[in-house]
Amino acid sequence: MTRRSMIALIPALALALALPALAHHGWGSYDADKLQDFQAELATVAYRNPHAQVEVDRDGERWLVILAPTTRMEARGLPPDALVVGRTIGIQAYPRSDGTRELRAERIVVDGRTIELR
Amino acid sequence: MIDGPAIAAALEASAFAQWLRSAGLTYATVNLLHLLGLCLLVAPMLLLDLRLLGLGRRYPLPALERDLSPWLVTGLVLLLVSGAALFSADAVPLSGNRVFLTKIALLGFALVNALAFRVLWSGHLPHWDRAPPTFGRLQALLSIALWLSVAAAGRLIAYL
């Protein structure tokens, strides 16, 4: 490999090294230091991919709660009919750091059964 | 006039998009096809760009280009088709997502760069090593940066 061609590689390598750092930053969109633990009635349910999501009303505000991919939910005992509008479930979730009313659920409690979603 | 939001909403409400979102492995499968397309595109693209930049001179450039191009085009087609499908599943939020829009803009630049390269230099490949054009080499460097950025932006849609 010539010296010149090695120099040509530097920008590509720099970019490749920078990518994991960026991706790691992505988890920061939810604040893992602010675990929310509450009961709420399901206002809407979307049992869908790439992840299921529900909406709940909390202190007069509507929050979107991101759950997990449908296959994972089914594998952990949460078929589509386990989440229906009007049912009250327990939610342990992290809020988005940017203030959007959106939570990412770590686990939910349905009929006294705790289901890990991660 | 084109009503972007209405088109996105109609796309997302279509039977096809609903099928993609449905329970089961449909979405995951299309996701895997998108990833396969990325590998098929980026691997030969990087090899070709590095060759244009002067690495691996023992491989004749015209033959390398001829042998790698079909893989790269297959990858691109697979990416565009699976990408359009994945987009349809979440057309409304995606069409307003800054990371996604950045990705599409970068994709546009990358495609223009690749097409321009073909138009400008495809006849020049047999004697590339004797007189490698500076602009052509810049395009190869840009190609590496752009395609890796498109891939990175795509992955980051889920995180930023």
Side-chain angles (χ1 to χ4, degrees):
Chain A
M1 192 186 287
T2 64
R3 186 187 165 82
R4 205 169 50 161
S5 57
M6 280 168 73
I7 290 172
L9 264 179
I10 291 173
L13 287 176
L15 185 63
L17 290 174
L19 293 183
L22 280 171
H24 179 76
H25 176 76
W27 270 102
S29 48
Y30 297 91
D31 190 342
D33 293 329
K34 287 192 187 149
L35 183 69
Q36 316 279 300
D37 189 347
F38 61 100
Q39 301 271 322
E41 190 178 303
L42 296 173
T44 71
V45 175
Y47 199 89
R48 55 156 293 186
N49 282 311
H51 42 65
Q53 57 194 47
V54 298
E55 288 181 304
V56 296
D57 291 316
R58 196 185 175 203
D59 304 329
E61 288 175 331
R62 181 150 291 196
W63 286 75
L64 176 66
V65 186
I66 305 291
L67 303 179
T70 57
T71 39
R72 186 187 302 167
M73 306 247 297
E74 299 215 40
R76 296 186 184 176
L78 269 184
D81 59 6
L83 297 176
V84 288
V85 172
R87 175 172 284 183
T88 297
I89 65 168
I91 297 171
Q92 292 182 30
Y94 307 111
R96 263 189 87 101
S97 324
D98 66 5
T100 312
R101 285 200 288 276
E102 181 184 313
L103 297 155
R104 189 188 181 112
E106 175 81 38
R107 61 187 66 87
I108 59 176
V109 183
V110 181
D111 287 337
R113 213 156 44 88
T114 300
I115 295 109
E116 300 288 334
L117 293 176
R118 213 137 63 112
Chain B
M1 191 148 145
I2 296 171
D3 187 352
I7 294 172
L11 193 59
E12 192 174 309
S14 68
F16 178 75
Q18 285 176 36
W19 172 70
L20 263 177
R21 289 191 297 267
S22 64
L25 289 172
T26 316
Y27 191 94
T29 304
V30 178
N31 228 333
L32 287 176
L33 289 175
H34 201 60
L35 190 56
L36 178 63
L38 179 66
C39 297
L40 287 177
L41 170 78
V42 167
M45 186 73 89
L46 285 179
L47 291 175
L48 215 46
D49 285 334
L50 292 174
R51 176 63 184 82
L52 290 168
L53 288 170
L55 273 78
R57 280 173 202 250
R58 66 179 172 278
Y59 305 106
L61 190 45
L64 199 65
E65 195 272 336
R66 213 171 34 244
D67 288 353
L68 290 182
S69 288
W71 294 100
L72 180 161
V73 171
T74 305
L76 184 62
V77 170
L78 196 53
L79 278 169
L80 292 176
V81 172
S82 59
L86 292 172
F87 172 76
S88 75
D90 284 290
V92 173
L94 279 177
S95 52
N97 181 300
R98 269 184 316 171
V99 185
F100 175 77
L101 295 174
T102 304
K103 172 188 174 170
I104 296 304
L106 288 167
L107 172 63
F109 283 128
L111 287 174
V112 167
N113 184 49
L115 287 175
F117 186 92
R118 259 163 213 260
V119 170
L120 288 173
W121 311 115
S122 45
H124 191 74
L125 294 182
H127 34 268
W128 182 271
D129 292 331
R130 247 174 296 141
T134 308
F135 185 64
R137 286 159 58 97
L138 270 177
Q139 280 186 291
L141 201 58
L142 195 61
S143 169
I144 294 175
L146 282 172
W147 287 112
L148 291 182
S149 302
V150 172
R155 187 70 282 242
L156 290 179
I157 292 169
Y159 296 90
L160 296 182

